[in-house]
Amino acid sequence: MRSTLNFNSHWQFTKPGTAPVAVTLPHTWNAADGTDGGNDYFRGTCTYTKEFAAPAHADDEEVWLEFEGAAMTAVVTLNDQELTRHAGGYSTFRVNLTPALAAQNTLTVTVDNSANRTVYPQKADFTFYGGLYRDVHILIVPHSHFALGNHGAPALRVTPEVSDDLHSAAVTVEAACENTPDGTEVLFAIEGVGEQTAAVQDGKAVTVFYMENVHLWDGVADPYLYSVAAAMPGGDAVAVNFGCRKIAFKPDTGFWLNGRNVRLVGAARHQDRAGIGNALTAAEHEEDMQILRDMGANTVRLAHYQHAQYFYDLCDKYGLVAWAEIPYITEHMPEATANTLSQMEELVLQNYNHPSIICWGLSNEITVTTGVTEDLTANHRLLNDLCHRLDATRPTTMAHAFMLDPNDPFVQLPDICSYNLYYGWYLGELQQNDEFFDTFHKNHPDRVIGLSEFGADANPAYQSARPERGDWSESYQAVYHEHMLKMWSERPYIWAMHVWNGFDFGADGRGEGGKPGQNQKGLVTFDRKTKKDAYFIYKAYLSSDPFVHLCGRRYAHRTESQTEIKVYSNQPRVTLFVDGKEFAAQDGDKIFKFTVPISGTHEIKAVAGGCTDCMTITKADKPDPTYRAEGQVENWFDKPEELMKEGYYSIMDSMETLQKSPAANKLLSSLMVKASNAYGDVAKNVKMPPEMESQIARTSLRSILKQVAKSITPADVQQLNAALNKIKKES
């Protein structure tokens, strides 16, 4: 009889130069230093040890150890005998302890997240936490058992094939076996369907269930799951959940589920959280899922690596369509091709049964530092072929960097395409997102295209009555996402749109926006305590649960005499009350705006149907300095005419114009070196194609400087502008 024992307690953890300390798993050594900024968190080799008595087991049983995640590489030693090595920090692996097991045992696991050139990831805009950060289990099984050694995968592999009329399904169930003689009968059972047997042949037993009136797994509308169990003589038994669904992707209408066109909108997710890093428990996973569900999301991109099985199970249970990928990201390393293949094999085999997963992501922004090279392309062909060989039921995709030319043949390598676009944040204007998709769809009408990343950083402490790109305000993030949702709603061919990100996350190389060590593009803060205003515009578009939300509640002190009160709701009519009296009512669609005179402290209430929301605002004599980033001038000079001197250069000129003047370009160069450090390690290595460089060149210097307010002070800008004002333009 198979048994599973939790193995999380009574570990000793040793970091170089420190004494051992007692820890309980999950555990990471970067929970604090991985999210405080400076790009100086500890990356190296640490040791976990555990003394334990052999668990009770019969002479003909085996004892295995299962690790759900050890970042990034691990070596497992029992009683001084090395048993296995694993390279890849996000996937399950198992090891048979039986050959080295004694009555009393010393288990040693060395875990290493140090920089190297053979294991991904090595360069990316997130923290590479080290540790045994997921659960560890002891598994006790009969000598003849369902397989534990197949790349960490479950022993059962289930392939449902739904008929075109969606009424029936042929469900193939394969059971991988170890130490099991050919001819051994395996009993399969699907709850509510029936039982049948199949004989083991060459380590595998296979049967097909033919199901009439099949109950479909239908995303958030009806995420129905079946369970299939397998048992063999000798007592071993296993079971897995699966779902029956039919998926398709079309160039003009995007994603189809069970013959129904479904517009996919949701968010990407990183697996970390303030204070605990990536050492999550079930409670944190469940809270993240609940936040996404409350928003109305019907999809999630699980980036940039394999996530916990527990979260994939939640996606199955609640119907969120999932994108799964490996950490092949930012920088291609020719020495690490084998690692991309092993991590992809583990991803596909371990997650094959999840009906929520609809595609395999080959890489993310992999062309950023080197562009498209022959070796990089060859690596992707190998991955693409591997995915198709391991799984004929799902397409492959990639998240292309927005700097990659859409006409490059590399874009067409996977089955379906997606782009990460940041027009309106890192550069350019919001409408360039619209233009990108219009142009791509016109030039490539037979290709499926999606939006895999887009976003704007926001510190919810930062507020503005006149939000604009680069101010890091909660206010601008909301305006940004209003535009992006409207853009998406008008383009039915976008197969999925995933906000970057659902949640702020650890990125120790970052040092801007008032919170060092974090990427703040999340709709929700790193600690999950604050839903930013932008979260609620998604709820207005996506959720059917009635609600009303007043934006700007953290913009409590306002200097303007007439202020905009903005309301998000999925109800058709909003009534605004000021100081207990009805002020105005509006019929509208998702976004409602009211201009309200203010003179003191006012209670604001919005009512929509049976829903209400309240906040307090106060007329202030002067701007609240906490509402903007340190060193940032409010709205970065509201009167451009004061910066300009006729016939002379200024920061209002484009980069292209300034670079044509040797004197102006000399002034510019030293300041831009300083500015280049604002976005951490990854940004320093970005390779810009000519088309992108041309777009940047046409952008005003003022616009670019606003984006790097943390590293460029107002004094720097004023001095630069004064100096430019002394350089006469050539006629």
Side-chain angles (χ1 to χ4, degrees):
M1 179 72 73
R2 176 178 295 225
S3 59
T4 301
L5 308 174
N6 185 281
F7 210 57
N8 286 348
S9 61
H10 302 105
W11 289 84
Q12 293 287 314
F13 168 72
T14 307
K15 184 178 176 180
T18 66
V21 295
V23 299
T24 297
L25 308 183
H27 176 265
T28 175
W29 61 76
N30 297 124
D33 70 352
T35 61
D36 61 358
N39 204 29
D40 55 356
Y41 64 103
F42 178 75
R43 295 183 65 184
T45 302
C46 296
T47 304
Y48 295 85
T49 59
K50 181 168 179 169
E51 306 287 336
F52 70 101
H57 65 286
D59 291 342
D60 62 347
E61 290 184 318
E62 295 180 354
V63 179
W64 287 68
L65 194 60
E66 178 183 76
F67 297 87
E68 293 187 11
M72 293 294 171
T73 62
V75 179
V76 181
T77 302
L78 182 63
N79 301 326
D80 298 323
Q81 181 177 333
E82 184 181 309
L83 298 183
T84 195
R85 292 174 175 254
H86 183 260
Y90 305 100
S91 53
T92 295
F93 68 97
R94 307 186 186 105
V95 56
N96 189 351
L97 300 182
T98 313
L101 194 66
Q104 295 294 323
N105 301 273
T106 301
L107 177 68
T108 303
V109 185
T110 56
V111 185
D112 184 4
N113 70 337
S114 61
N116 63 79
R117 296 290 297 176
T118 58
V119 179
Y120 284 99
Q122 290 301 324
K123 190 179 292 296
D125 185 27
F126 60 92
T127 297
F128 309 147
Y129 301 93
L132 294 179
Y133 67 96
R134 291 184 187 149
D135 290 343
V136 178
H137 294 99
I138 287 282
L139 308 175
I140 302 170
V141 295
H143 177 67
S144 172
H145 57 265
F146 292 108
L148 294 171
N150 183 25
H151 303 280
L156 297 184
R157 175 183 169 101
V158 186
T159 309
E161 185 176 351
V162 177
S163 63
D164 289 340
D165 64 9
L166 306 178
H167 293 154
S168 62
V171 180
T172 302
V173 185
E174 305 169 66
C177 307
E178 292 171 338
N179 308 320
T180 306
D182 284 355
T184 301
E185 290 288 320
V186 173
L187 175 65
F188 295 92
I190 296 180
E191 186 177 351
V193 176
E195 298 180 349
Q196 49 201 54
T197 60
V200 174
Q201 184 66 39
D202 296 327
K204 185 184 295 184
V206 182
T207 192
V208 181
F209 287 85
Y210 294 96
M211 299 165 54
E212 298 295 332
N213 301 314
V214 64
H215 194 154
L216 299 175
W217 186 91
D218 202 32
V220 294
D222 185 11
Y224 186 83
L225 294 171
Y226 288 94
S227 177
V228 59
M232 66 168 63
D236 196 22
V238 291
V240 298
N241 291 333
F242 70 95
C244 296
R245 83 305 188 254
K246 200 176 192 69
I247 61 173
F249 298 81
K250 300 181 181 181
D252 288 329
T253 51
F255 178 68
W256 289 70
L257 177 64
N258 301 328
R260 182 167 51 89
N261 189 202
V262 178
R263 302 220 60 196
L264 295 178
V265 182
R269 174 191 186 248
H270 267 297
Q271 65 178 10
D272 62 342
R273 185 175 293 216
I276 58 175
N278 62 349
L280 304 187
T281 67
E284 287 83 39
H285 289 300
E286 289 167 3
E287 184 178 21
D288 281 4
M289 174 57 71
Q290 190 62 53
I291 290 170
L292 292 170
R293 292 179 66 216
D294 288 347
M295 188 178 83
N298 60 4
T299 182
V300 60
R301 180 183 172 202
L302 295 173
H304 284 301
Y305 37 71
Q306 183 170 330
H307 282 234
Q309 283 299 314
Y310 193 83
F311 201 83
Y312 292 118
D313 289 340
L314 290 175
C315 291
D316 293 342
K317 178 180 178 179
Y318 293 113
L320 264 68
V321 167
W323 164 324
E325 64 190 62
I326 60 172
Y328 185 22
I329 180 171
T330 305
E331 180 183 30
H332 170 68
M333 300 184 297
E335 309 93 321
T337 296
N339 187 250
T340 66
L341 296 172
S342 65
Q343 292 204 50
M344 182 62 79
E345 186 167 24
E346 290 176 330
L347 177 74
V348 175
L349 294 179
Q350 292 177 22
N351 295 284
Y352 183 87
N353 295 329
H354 292 291
S356 56
I357 296 176
I358 60 162
C359 61
W360 304 117
L362 304 181
S363 64
N364 178 79
E365 296 189 349
I366 197 62
T367 58
V368 162
T369 57
T370 63
V372 179
T373 67
E374 184 176 339
D375 191 75
L376 178 147
T377 303
N379 197 152
H380 281 77
R381 288 199 182 103
L382 290 173
L383 284 170
N384 203 47
D385 291 346
L386 176 65
C387 288
H388 292 153
R389 187 164 66 251
L390 296 175
D391 181 7
T393 71
R394 295 177 177 93
T396 56
T397 191
M398 290 169 63
H400 294 302
F402 73 122
M403 295 85 79
L404 180 62
D405 182 352
N407 299 307
D408 192 300
F410 181 70
V411 174
Q412 314 302 331
L413 190 150
D415 299 320
I416 56 177
C417 302
S418 270
Y419 258 84
N420 298 350
L421 298 182
Y422 287 99
Y423 296 113
W425 182 242
Y426 288 124
L427 80 166
E429 304 300 330
L430 277 166
Q431 62 267 22
Q432 288 179 261
N433 294 287
D434 312 44
E435 295 164 4
F436 173 90
F437 278 106
D438 291 342
T439 301
F440 187 100
H441 190 57
K442 178 182 178 181
N443 293 343
H444 307 281
D446 297 328
R447 293 294 293 173
V448 175
I449 181 67
L451 182 53
S452 41
E453 280 186 31
F454 61 101
D457 289 88
N459 183 333
Y462 296 166
Q463 303 292 327
S464 176
R466 296 177 296 279
E468 54 184 0
R469 181 171 72 87
D471 67 9
W472 293 84
S473 70
E474 181 181 26
S475 323
Y476 179 75
Q477 187 191 43
V479 170
Y480 173 95
H481 285 291
E482 289 171 14
H483 179 95
M484 296 304 291
L485 277 162
K486 184 175 186 297
M487 183 277 297
W488 160 81
S489 69
E490 296 168 349
R491 290 162 178 79
Y493 55 82
I494 297 176
W495 75 264
M497 187 168 85
H498 293 103
V499 180
W500 191 259
N501 195 284
F503 312 93
D504 293 348
F505 58 90
D508 199 51
R510 285 185 171 245
E512 73 285 342
K515 292 185 180 181
Q518 293 184 36
N519 184 310
Q520 295 183 75
K521 293 185 184 68
L523 302 178
V524 181
T525 53
F526 198 17
D527 59 10
R528 290 6 181 219
K529 292 181 179 179
T530 302
K531 296 180 176 70
K532 305 176 192 178
D533 284 340
Y535 174 91
F536 294 95
I537 186 58
Y538 283 89
K539 188 165 184 171
Y541 269 85
L542 306 177
S543 176
S544 59
D545 295 334
F547 86 101
V548 64
H549 173 77
L550 281 162
C551 298
R553 69 186 60 248
R554 283 168 284 277
Y555 183 29
H557 306 119
R558 308 187 179 200
T559 57
E560 60 270 23
S561 297
Q562 293 195 44
T563 193
E564 179 183 86
I565 301 296
K566 183 164 61 176
V567 182
Y568 295 150
S569 180
N570 55 8
Q571 302 301 290
R573 185 174 179 84
V574 169
T575 303
L576 194 74
F577 292 81
V578 179
D579 298 329
K581 298 180 180 179
E582 182 174 333
F583 177 79
Q586 278 186 26
D587 295 325
D589 182 25
K590 303 177 181 66
I591 304 171
F592 304 80
K593 296 179 180 179
F594 302 85
T595 300
V596 177
I598 57 174
S599 56
T601 296
H602 303 281
E603 296 295 327
I604 309 294
K605 182 170 74 171
V607 178
C611 306
T612 63
D613 193 22
C614 301
M615 69 181 187
T616 301
I617 61 173
T618 300
K619 175 70 168 66
D621 294 331
K622 57 183 179 180
D624 188 328
T626 66
Y627 286 174
R628 55 184 183 266
E630 181 183 352
Q632 180 185 346
V633 174
E634 186 177 15
N635 285 303
W636 281 81
F637 307 104
D638 290 326
K639 298 178 180 178
E641 64 274 11
E642 295 181 358
L643 302 171
M644 302 170 68
K645 182 179 177 183
E646 187 174 354
Y648 293 81
Y649 292 104
S650 75
I651 64 170
M652 300 304 296
D653 287 308
S654 69
M655 296 284 287
E656 184 177 47
T657 299
L658 293 169
Q659 288 168 344
K660 289 178 180 178
S661 164
N665 191 45
K666 185 177 180 180
L667 283 172
L668 187 62
S669 296
S670 60
L671 196 68
M672 296 312 292
V673 168
K674 185 178 180 182
S676 69
N677 297 323
Y679 286 96
D681 194 41
V682 173
K684 298 175 187 176
N685 298 281
V686 170
K687 181 179 177 64
M688 291 286 185
E691 181 181 352
M692 188 65 62
E693 289 180 346
S694 178
Q695 288 180 356
I696 294 173
R698 295 193 297 271
T699 303
S700 74
L701 175 57
R702 174 179 177 267
S703 180
I704 291 172
L705 292 177
K706 284 191 298 181
Q707 199 70 30
V708 291
K710 178 68 178 179
S711 60
I712 304 298
T713 69
D716 290 332
V717 178
Q718 289 164 341
Q719 290 171 13
L720 174 62
N721 193 71
L724 289 171
N725 281 174
K726 296 176 182 177
I727 303 173
K728 193 169 185 177
K729 290 185 176 180
E730 297 179 7
S731 56

